[in-house]
Amino acid sequence: MSYQHILVAVDLTEECDPVMKRAQALANSTQAKLSVVHIVEPMAMAFGGDVPMDLSMLQQQQFEQAKERLDAFAVKYPQLSAESRHLAYGQPRQEIHRLAAEQHCDLIIVGSHGRHGLALLLGSTANDVLHGAPCDVLAVSLKKPAA
């Protein structure tokens, strides 16, 4: 079975380049459509949900900066048209699942640091995306080479 539409979830750091390159190679080999998504998490989530001030203006600035960064990121990958770039606001797992279902994606690709111990207990986006995904999920290892 070959994939028809691949969704790549990126955090817009340099670490997502290997993920994008792997996705691009897979899309090219199967003639699949390639889309990318970046999720902007609500600031209140980062502070445990209980923030005694209005963060809407800061949140809007964060969203606008993320859009600029996504557009700059996409320049490196000409395969990504404006229609294939998605920016969402919310909880990453839910938004990635929603977009994958909405766009009829049959593969989601995420980067994974392969953490364990305390970092694993705190959860990771890659692990979250895997559970309940509407399609296959490929986790690309982002382990740093040994020094």
Side-chain angles (χ1 to χ4, degrees):
M1 174 186 140
S2 116
Y3 294 108
Q4 303 298 309
H5 191 174
I6 299 170
L7 177 64
V8 187
V10 295
D11 62 4
L12 299 177
T13 64
E14 287 181 15
E15 287 186 323
C16 62
D17 282 324
V19 177
M20 198 61 209
K21 286 178 180 162
R22 176 75 56 93
Q24 195 170 33
L26 186 57
N28 289 341
S29 71
T30 63
Q31 302 300 303
K33 178 179 176 185
L34 188 61
S35 294
V36 66
V37 62
H38 175 71
I39 312 299
V40 177
E41 290 187 72
M43 288 184 153
M45 284 177 69
F47 296 108
D50 222 5
V51 182
M53 64 179 89
D54 181 14
L55 297 174
S56 58
M57 192 124 135
L58 284 173
Q59 195 74 58
Q60 183 59 36
Q61 288 175 344
Q62 183 185 23
F63 198 82
E64 289 168 10
Q65 288 173 350
K67 181 175 182 348
E68 289 171 12
R69 288 176 41 223
L70 181 60
D71 290 343
F73 173 79
V75 168
K76 296 187 279 187
Y77 304 98
Q79 203 170 352
L80 294 174
S81 65
E83 297 79 36
S84 65
R85 298 191 298 258
H86 304 277
L87 188 60
Y89 175 78
Q91 200 276 335
R93 176 181 54 102
Q94 291 173 348
E95 292 305 311
I96 293 167
H97 288 175
R98 178 194 60 75
L99 187 62
E102 193 178 276
Q103 295 289 315
H104 307 290
C105 297
D106 47 6
L107 178 65
I108 298 170
I109 299 181
V110 294
S112 174
H113 289 94
R115 293 186 177 114
H116 26 42
L118 187 58
L120 182 62
L121 289 175
L122 296 174
S124 74
T125 301
N127 189 47
D128 277 355
V129 170
L130 178 62
H131 298 288
C135 59
D136 291 350
V137 177
L138 172 64
V140 176
S141 178
L142 297 176
K143 292 179 183 170
K144 296 191 186 230

